[in-house]
Amino acid sequence: MNKSNHTERSNLQTIRLPILLSTAIVVIILCSSMFSWYQESLDNQTHEFSLQYNQGMADLSAAYLGHLIEDENTDAIESIGLRLNNNENIQKLAIYRRNGELIYSAGDAAKPHSAPVIANISYEDNYNGYLVIYFIPATDLVQSEPPFWLKPFMIWGIGATLWLLLFFLLTFIRRKKEPTQTTPDQTSVVPPQTAKKNEVVLKELIKRNRKQLQNKTIQHSLVIKAEWSKLDAESNALLLRVLSRWLPQNGLLATQFSDGLLVLGLDPTSTPLNRNPLHALERCLQQLQLQPKILLHHLNFDREIYHMFFDIIEPGVWFEKKLRQKDDNYDWPSTKLIDIELDTHDIIELCQLEEPDAEQRGLIERQVRFLSED
């Protein structure tokens, strides 16, 4: 061992402890910052989701009140107010005329309220009142279970692994006899960031709807397959606005989102679906470049069968032929008919809904603007 090598190793031994201590402090700070960032991001996401959902619900409710105030139909106004007050997410509400005169109010004033959500009421583009709703503060809008790599033990585990790699690296250099050494390969695998905010939006919408599903039997199901991975933060907000307005307007509730399939259930107490709202929903999803495939049916299938259907059909709106035979409300014109044989040798016949005519397209475009515009 020559003198220069001995001196080099002595210097490395002298600074080894300070390097390890300072590195440990840096790792602790980084891990703490990462965990704090995730908590702050979760809180911001909860807040934004609450604002978007609450305002959309208030705007949709106000849209039903314009002509009732114009006609002085207080009985119908009180009926709508009572239905809104029965919503578990609403603490208090009040309906006013344009001049500030109170028409209807309900709710528990003893409870602490969040900031009010206000929606203007109009009839034929004439402002004639406003609706004030106090919602329950959002505390469980975003999934409580963080992604695996953002769990506390994973964050600290990754930090400890990096520190141990540095420790073994310094130990390896100190014990190496040759004057020039190559450091061992460091293969630190960093889990990819897979927060999947698009799925969070849909799953949390289902959490909201789940409260309304109690003691209800779903009559028909609307299953949607789309390229959800194309969603970003901006299109997520637009998708939430579209669904929060379209679902209650058509008597549907989001019941499930799993394996890329969004399932919507039709409340049997609601009126049957019309073609134009389905076309409007399809147009909104097309604007988001999701290439939607929409299937309306009255049976329940396994997830694998749904995927088989969607692998066969092309983008568009589809419905079961038996649904048309069972219910005159769904005697819709169709352009294509596909027979699909299941493993049980049952034949499922799917019809593609015919494209709207010129008169329908004007109505559909107005619905699309209502659903997607701020």
Side-chain angles (χ1 to χ4, degrees), residues 9-55:
R9 286 192 292 274
S10 298
N11 292 335
L12 182 60
Q13 178 67 17
T14 303
I15 64 172
R16 179 167 171 265
L17 182 59
I19 289 176
L20 291 175
L21 289 177
S22 60
T23 305
I25 294 173
V26 171
V27 168
I28 291 173
I29 293 174
L30 289 176
C31 291
S32 300
S33 300
M34 183 180 297
F35 190 74
S36 299
W37 166 82
Y38 173 73
Q39 291 297 329
E40 183 178 354
S41 174
L42 197 63
D43 292 341
N44 290 337
Q45 189 178 6
T46 301
H47 180 69
E48 289 298 323
F49 187 96
S50 176
L51 290 179
Q52 295 280 354
Y53 180 88
N54 294 348
Q55 187 63 58

XYZ file of all heavy atoms in Angstrom, residues 9-55:
386
model
N -7.510 7.188 1.656
C -8.490 6.457 2.450
C -8.673 7.070 3.825
O -9.766 7.056 4.393
C -8.062 4.988 2.554
C -8.286 4.199 1.266
C -8.137 2.708 1.519
N -6.765 2.357 1.827
C -5.830 2.090 0.924
N -6.114 2.170 -0.359
N -4.616 1.751 1.274
N -7.614 7.621 4.385
C -7.730 8.282 5.692
C -8.634 9.512 5.593
O -9.468 9.765 6.473
C -6.340 8.690 6.196
O -5.525 7.552 6.380
N -8.469 10.272 4.518
C -9.326 11.450 4.333
C -10.791 11.045 4.148
O -11.705 11.682 4.674
C -8.858 12.258 3.121
C -7.501 12.900 3.358
O -7.115 13.146 4.521
N -6.769 13.183 2.288
N -10.999 9.966 3.384
C -12.360 9.493 3.175
C -12.988 9.018 4.475
O -14.165 9.267 4.749
C -12.353 8.359 2.142
C -13.720 7.775 1.768
C -14.612 8.860 1.170
C -13.552 6.611 0.797
N -12.200 8.339 5.328
C -12.696 7.872 6.617
C -13.063 9.058 7.502
O -14.046 9.006 8.260
C -11.627 6.998 7.291
C -12.008 6.490 8.680
C -13.149 5.508 8.610
O -13.447 4.972 7.550
N -13.801 5.275 9.743
N -12.295 10.149 7.383
C -12.555 11.322 8.222
C -13.891 11.980 7.858
O -14.642 12.417 8.737
C -11.414 12.343 8.067
O -10.178 11.712 8.413
C -11.645 13.558 8.946
N -14.186 12.049 6.551
C -15.407 12.745 6.135
C -16.609 11.798 5.975
O -17.722 12.243 5.697
C -15.188 13.470 4.793
C -14.911 12.444 3.677
C -14.054 14.471 4.902
C -14.862 13.065 2.287
N -16.387 10.516 6.192
C -17.458 9.532 5.976
C -18.635 9.766 6.912
O -19.805 9.787 6.486
C -16.884 8.133 6.186
C -17.883 6.993 6.012
C -17.144 5.674 5.938
N -18.047 4.541 5.972
C -18.354 3.882 7.070
N -17.803 4.228 8.232
N -19.175 2.856 7.017
N -18.380 9.970 8.203
C -19.469 10.166 9.167
C -20.251 11.450 8.888
O -21.499 11.415 8.871
C -18.906 10.164 10.589
C -19.948 10.317 11.715
C -20.969 9.183 11.651
C -19.254 10.340 13.080
N -19.558 12.595 8.658
C -20.337 13.800 8.323
C -21.187 13.641 7.056
O -22.314 14.154 6.991
C -19.258 14.872 8.126
C -18.108 14.401 8.952
C -18.124 12.913 8.831
N -20.654 12.924 6.060
C -21.424 12.715 4.831
C -22.680 11.902 5.120
O -23.788 12.231 4.665
C -20.559 12.017 3.760
C -19.487 12.970 3.229
C -21.429 11.512 2.609
C -18.547 12.315 2.234
N -22.519 10.836 5.907
C -23.675 9.996 6.219
C -24.713 10.753 7.044
O -25.924 10.627 6.812
C -23.225 8.731 6.955
C -22.409 7.722 6.128
C -21.927 6.578 7.014
C -23.247 7.179 4.973
N -24.244 11.559 8.010
C -25.188 12.328 8.840
C -25.940 13.369 8.003
O -27.167 13.509 8.115
C -24.438 12.999 9.994
C -23.929 12.072 11.106
C -23.137 12.860 12.140
C -25.117 11.376 11.786
N -25.186 14.104 7.181
C -25.827 15.135 6.363
C -26.777 14.518 5.349
O -27.871 15.045 5.085
C -24.769 15.983 5.654
O -23.965 15.174 4.810
N -26.391 13.360 4.797
C -27.270 12.689 3.849
C -28.540 12.205 4.524
O -29.641 12.289 3.956
C -26.550 11.511 3.198
O -25.320 11.951 2.603
C -27.417 10.869 2.124
N -28.413 11.697 5.757
C -29.595 11.253 6.490
C -30.561 12.415 6.727
O -31.785 12.270 6.596
C -29.182 10.631 7.822
N -30.011 13.590 7.052
C -30.864 14.773 7.266
C -31.582 15.157 5.969
O -32.778 15.474 5.961
C -30.026 15.945 7.802
C -29.493 15.604 9.205
C -30.836 17.230 7.833
C -28.521 16.636 9.753
N -30.836 15.131 4.850
C -31.437 15.470 3.556
C -32.548 14.484 3.192
O -33.627 14.880 2.717
C -30.360 15.493 2.459
C -31.004 15.617 1.078
C -29.391 16.637 2.683
N -32.298 13.183 3.419
C -33.309 12.164 3.114
C -34.562 12.385 3.959
O -35.696 12.292 3.468
C -32.728 10.755 3.336
C -33.838 9.711 3.314
C -31.693 10.431 2.285
N -34.392 12.689 5.244
C -35.542 12.937 6.124
C -36.346 14.143 5.627
O -37.582 14.118 5.589
C -35.065 13.144 7.569
C -34.511 11.823 8.137
C -36.208 13.662 8.445
C -33.860 11.973 9.498
N -35.630 15.205 5.241
C -36.325 16.404 4.753
C -37.085 16.100 3.462
O -38.249 16.518 3.296
C -35.318 17.547 4.538
C -34.740 18.002 5.886
C -35.972 18.725 3.828
C -33.638 19.032 5.761
N -36.454 15.367 2.552
C -37.111 15.040 1.286
C -38.339 14.160 1.492
O -39.391 14.385 0.878
C -36.124 14.340 0.347
C -35.015 15.211 -0.245
C -34.067 14.367 -1.083
C -35.608 16.325 -1.112
N -38.222 13.183 2.371
C -39.359 12.292 2.634
C -40.509 13.066 3.275
O -41.675 12.884 2.922
C -38.932 11.126 3.518
S -37.824 9.942 2.708
N -40.162 13.935 4.236
C -41.203 14.744 4.884
C -41.865 15.678 3.879
O -43.088 15.856 3.886
C -40.597 15.546 6.037
O -40.026 14.694 7.003
N -41.056 16.280 2.985
C -41.606 17.181 1.974
C -42.518 16.435 1.010
O -43.577 16.943 0.623
C -40.475 17.859 1.197
O -39.645 18.620 2.052
N -42.117 15.227 0.615
C -42.937 14.449 -0.307
C -44.289 14.106 0.318
O -45.346 14.229 -0.315
C -42.209 13.160 -0.705
C -42.965 12.313 -1.727
S -42.064 10.809 -2.176
C -40.607 11.522 -2.923
N -44.273 13.690 1.581
C -45.516 13.329 2.257
C -46.401 14.566 2.436
O -47.621 14.509 2.242
C -45.205 12.681 3.607
C -46.405 12.058 4.265
C -46.927 10.869 3.790
C -47.005 12.672 5.341
C -48.037 10.298 4.382
C -48.115 12.105 5.947
C -48.627 10.910 5.468
N -45.794 15.706 2.800
C -46.564 16.945 2.959
C -47.150 17.388 1.630
O -48.296 17.862 1.561
C -45.671 18.051 3.535
O -45.166 17.693 4.796
N -46.364 17.242 0.553
C -46.878 17.599 -0.771
C -48.081 16.761 -1.144
O -49.071 17.285 -1.669
C -45.773 17.396 -1.808
C -46.301 17.402 -3.209
C -46.582 18.471 -3.988
C -46.638 16.238 -3.997
N -47.065 18.070 -5.213
C -47.118 16.709 -5.245
C -46.578 14.864 -3.757
C -47.530 15.846 -6.243
C -46.992 14.010 -4.759
C -47.457 14.500 -5.978
N -48.040 15.471 -0.849
C -49.173 14.612 -1.194
C -50.407 15.011 -0.390
O -51.517 15.086 -0.935
C -48.824 13.149 -0.927
C -50.010 12.236 -1.111
C -50.489 11.941 -2.383
C -50.667 11.708 -0.005
C -51.590 11.129 -2.561
C -51.771 10.900 -0.177
C -52.222 10.607 -1.445
O -53.323 9.805 -1.604
N -50.239 15.295 0.898
C -51.391 15.685 1.718
C -51.992 16.993 1.219
O -53.214 17.154 1.149
C -50.957 15.823 3.188
C -50.607 14.509 3.863
C -51.794 13.565 3.943
O -52.926 13.993 4.036
N -51.528 12.267 3.904
N -51.121 17.942 0.863
C -51.617 19.223 0.351
C -52.324 19.032 -0.988
O -53.373 19.646 -1.238
C -50.449 20.195 0.187
C -50.875 21.582 -0.262
C -49.694 22.536 -0.359
O -48.580 22.141 0.033
O -49.894 23.681 -0.819
N -51.770 18.199 -1.852
C -52.410 17.918 -3.135
C -53.769 17.262 -2.935
O -54.746 17.580 -3.622
C -51.505 17.011 -3.974
O -52.145 16.610 -5.153
N -53.876 16.356 -1.953
C -55.133 15.691 -1.658
C -56.169 16.694 -1.160
O -57.338 16.667 -1.560
C -54.897 14.595 -0.610
C -55.975 13.536 -0.450
C -56.123 12.731 -1.724
C -55.646 12.627 0.718
N -55.741 17.618 -0.295
C -56.660 18.641 0.223
C -57.139 19.557 -0.899
O -58.324 19.903 -0.970
C -55.966 19.467 1.315
C -55.680 18.651 2.567
O -56.326 17.597 2.732
O -54.815 19.042 3.360
N -56.224 19.971 -1.792
C -56.613 20.836 -2.903
C -57.574 20.127 -3.847
O -58.542 20.721 -4.335
C -55.368 21.292 -3.676
C -54.520 22.258 -2.878
O -55.016 22.924 -1.963
N -53.248 22.337 -3.184
N -57.313 18.857 -4.087
C -58.187 18.096 -4.973
C -59.581 17.955 -4.368
O -60.595 18.072 -5.065
C -57.571 16.722 -5.226
C -58.284 15.925 -6.305
C -57.606 14.588 -6.549
O -56.682 14.214 -5.841
N -58.084 13.865 -7.534
N -59.630 17.710 -3.055
C -60.918 17.630 -2.367
C -61.683 18.932 -2.494
O -62.881 18.962 -2.786
C -60.692 17.295 -0.881
O -60.009 16.051 -0.775
C -62.006 17.209 -0.129
N -60.988 20.047 -2.292
C -61.630 21.362 -2.360
C -62.151 21.652 -3.764
O -63.300 22.093 -3.941
C -60.626 22.432 -1.928
C -61.174 23.829 -1.959
N -62.147 24.261 -1.081
C -60.901 24.882 -2.777
C -62.446 25.525 -1.346
N -61.701 25.915 -2.372
N -61.319 21.386 -4.791
C -61.732 21.669 -6.157
C -62.899 20.791 -6.576
O -63.842 21.248 -7.226
C -60.549 21.441 -7.114
C -59.447 22.486 -7.000
C -59.962 23.873 -7.354
O -60.806 23.971 -8.276
O -59.558 24.839 -6.692
N -62.856 19.513 -6.197
C -63.952 18.602 -6.533
C -65.255 19.073 -5.894
O -66.313 19.081 -6.518
C -63.601 17.187 -6.057
C -64.595 16.145 -6.493
C -64.365 15.406 -7.635
C -65.749 15.914 -5.769
C -65.274 14.447 -8.042
C -66.661 14.958 -6.172
C -66.419 14.228 -7.311
N -65.163 19.505 -4.631
C -66.357 19.984 -3.928
C -66.942 21.205 -4.621
O -68.153 21.299 -4.827
C -65.995 20.316 -2.476
O -67.107 20.867 -1.803
N -66.090 22.169 -4.998
C -66.583 23.379 -5.658
C -67.281 23.040 -6.975
O -68.371 23.547 -7.266
C -65.426 24.347 -5.907
C -64.813 25.030 -4.673
C -63.665 25.922 -5.091
C -65.865 25.835 -3.923
N -66.637 22.199 -7.780
C -67.204 21.858 -9.080
C -68.528 21.117 -8.926
O -69.521 21.432 -9.594
C -66.205 20.984 -9.866
C -64.914 21.681 -10.241
C -65.090 22.572 -11.465
O -66.133 22.564 -12.078
N -64.070 23.331 -11.777
N -68.564 20.133 -8.028
C -69.776 19.326 -7.867
C -70.914 20.162 -7.292
O -72.042 20.129 -7.790
C -69.473 18.131 -6.950
C -70.673 17.236 -6.731
C -70.941 16.196 -7.615
C -71.538 17.436 -5.662
C -72.038 15.371 -7.434
C -72.640 16.625 -5.475
C -72.883 15.587 -6.358
O -73.972 14.785 -6.176
N -70.633 20.938 -6.237
C -71.688 21.718 -5.593
C -72.258 22.773 -6.528
O -73.474 22.972 -6.593
C -71.139 22.379 -4.323
C -70.771 21.375 -3.252
O -71.130 20.211 -3.354
N -70.040 21.790 -2.247
N -71.390 23.479 -7.284
C -71.888 24.505 -8.193
C -72.703 23.878 -9.321
O -73.735 24.416 -9.724
C -70.716 25.299 -8.771
C -71.144 26.509 -9.605
C -71.882 27.537 -8.777
O -71.364 28.037 -7.796
N -73.113 27.845 -9.168
